[in-house]
Amino acid sequence: MRARYLAIVLTLLAPAARAEVEQFPSGFKTRTIAANGTQIHVRIGGQGPAVILIHGFGDTGDMWVKLAADLVRDHTVVVPDLRGMGLSSKPDNGYDKWTQAADMRAVLAALGIEKTAVVGHDIGTMVAYAYAARYRDLTEKLIVMDAPVPGVPPWDEVVRSPQLWHFDLGGLDMERLVKGRERIYLDRFWNDFAGTPSRIAEATRRHYAALYARPGAMRAAFAQFRSIRTDAEDNKKAIATKLTIPVLAVGGEKSFGATEAVVMRNAATDVTELVIPDAGHWLMEEQPAATVKAIRQFLDTKK
């Protein structure tokens, strides 16, 4: 009887917990777009200059709700889930970041968008740089947030960090190990890389854990990291010709900090450095107001 009562209570509480996860403004529409051999789940809203927001691991495009709500006032805002993540399809391959940049290009082309500003966080930073390097004439501004770019100095020093052991994790045995324990695995990232772990709300953690527990999601997540060696070789070639567009390099004070700008100055000629105070890696969760303000100001600056 007690177990049944507890089950009923948890069932009643679950909708309220889900309601705590913020939703995109009502003007946003969702589409599934056939792109570069896969299916990409996309949220689209607004009118004006285009900006694409690219999420990373431990999140989906849902991480961008606050920024999208601000930018949609005067921008066309495109928010995809990367291949293998969120509600996008989960193919067996194509997780190198240059291929995923082509996914983003195909999404934008399907929406009739030519030029765009590109914003990325975590794995999304790696895809955002690959996009800007691959589609230089179509990228107006680049904003990268709190992540290294494989192959771009000081990559060899960064990748030696013991905290980055997950870069080489994967395979069937690791999938078996994590299956049914996705929340435990994800908590490691939210806790270890946050400046203040409590700022990653319980409802947020449950929301993403459920998405990463979907069939094939963790296999795809492992593939995102295991493709990094290929990404490094691609980017070593790309930085031979530096980007000339304006770049904003954002780091959390308790995470990458000013190193984000150090990285990007090896890949671009016009880099603005910004460190968000009292923030770790999870900038949109830990310091959303400061992060949104910084991105908005950079996008609004005429260059």
Side-chain angles (χ1 to χ4, degrees):
M1 187 68 165
R2 182 180 178 184
R4 183 183 176 192
Y5 175 77
L6 180 60
I8 292 171
V9 169
L10 291 175
T11 300
L12 291 172
L13 288 176
R18 284 196 296 272
E20 293 174 22
V21 178
E22 292 186 72
Q23 303 296 311
F24 280 80
S26 59
F28 275 82
K29 308 298 181 184
T30 60
R31 284 181 57 182
T32 298
I33 296 176
N36 195 32
T38 191
Q39 301 285 322
I40 302 295
H41 177 74
V42 187
R43 310 148 190 82
I44 313 104
Q47 293 182 328
V51 56
I52 185 169
L53 311 179
I54 309 176
H55 71 91
F57 174 71
D59 290 304
T60 68
D62 293 339
M63 69 167 283
W64 296 116
V65 167
K66 287 186 172 67
L67 179 59
D70 181 276
L71 295 180
V72 76
R73 293 180 288 127
D74 50 12
H75 286 77
T76 299
V77 183
V78 180
V79 188
D81 288 344
L82 291 170
R83 72 162 61 203
M85 303 174 91
L87 299 182
S88 292
S89 63
K90 296 164 179 61
D92 291 336
N93 50 37
Y95 294 96
D96 65 279
K97 307 314 171 286
W98 280 61
T99 294
Q100 293 188 84
D103 295 349
M104 301 298 99
R105 181 62 236 148
V107 164
L108 292 167
L111 296 173
I113 295 171
E114 184 177 16
K115 294 188 176 183
T116 185
V118 183
V119 182
H121 174 256
D122 188 78
I123 288 287
T125 280
M126 302 177 190
V127 177
Y129 170 73
Y131 185 97
R134 186 167 183 176
Y135 304 105
R136 294 172 187 251
D137 292 341
L138 301 179
T139 308
E140 296 183 317
K141 290 186 177 182
L142 174 64
I143 300 172
V144 292
M145 296 168 55
D146 212 77
V149 178
V152 180
W155 171 251
D156 290 342
E157 288 72 33
V158 170
V159 79
R160 291 193 185 101
S161 169
Q163 284 195 308
L164 301 182
W165 53 262
H166 58 278
F167 278 12
D168 289 315
L169 191 69
L172 292 176
D173 289 334
M174 293 304 101
E175 291 175 38
R176 289 171 56 218
L177 186 66
V178 173
K179 185 175 176 60
R181 305 177 184 88
E182 292 85 4
R183 168 61 189 270
I184 298 171
Y185 185 71
L186 290 164
D187 272 338
R188 179 261 161 173
F189 293 88
W190 294 324
N191 293 337
D192 284 5
F193 294 136
T196 306
S198 62
R199 290 176 180 162
I200 318 300
E202 176 61 24
T204 298
R205 293 172 186 246
R206 284 201 298 268
H207 175 74
Y208 290 124
L211 288 168
Y212 279 88
R214 286 172 170 250
M218 283 308 308
R219 173 185 52 78
F222 289 142
Q224 292 281 358
F225 291 110
R226 296 188 83 186
S227 298
I228 280 177
R229 294 181 188 274
T230 299
D231 302 332
E233 296 307 311
D234 289 336
N235 293 337
K236 286 175 185 176
K237 298 172 186 174
I239 61 174
T241 304
K242 288 187 173 184
L243 301 176
T244 57
I245 57 171
V247 176
L248 177 63
V250 185
E253 180 186 25
K254 300 177 181 179
S255 184
F256 260 74
T259 301
E260 193 69 26
V262 173
V263 171
M264 291 313 301
R265 290 187 185 109
N266 287 309
T269 60
D270 183 2
V271 177
T272 299
E273 175 184 321
L274 178 67
V275 176
I276 302 292
D278 192 25
H281 176 66
W282 307 101
L283 294 163
M284 286 303 303
E285 290 81 9
E286 296 186 66
Q287 291 292 348
T291 304
V292 169
K293 180 180 178 181
I295 293 172
R296 158 64 72 177
Q297 289 179 342
F298 185 76
L299 291 176
D300 285 349
T301 300
K302 302 300 182 184
K303 278 195 176 184

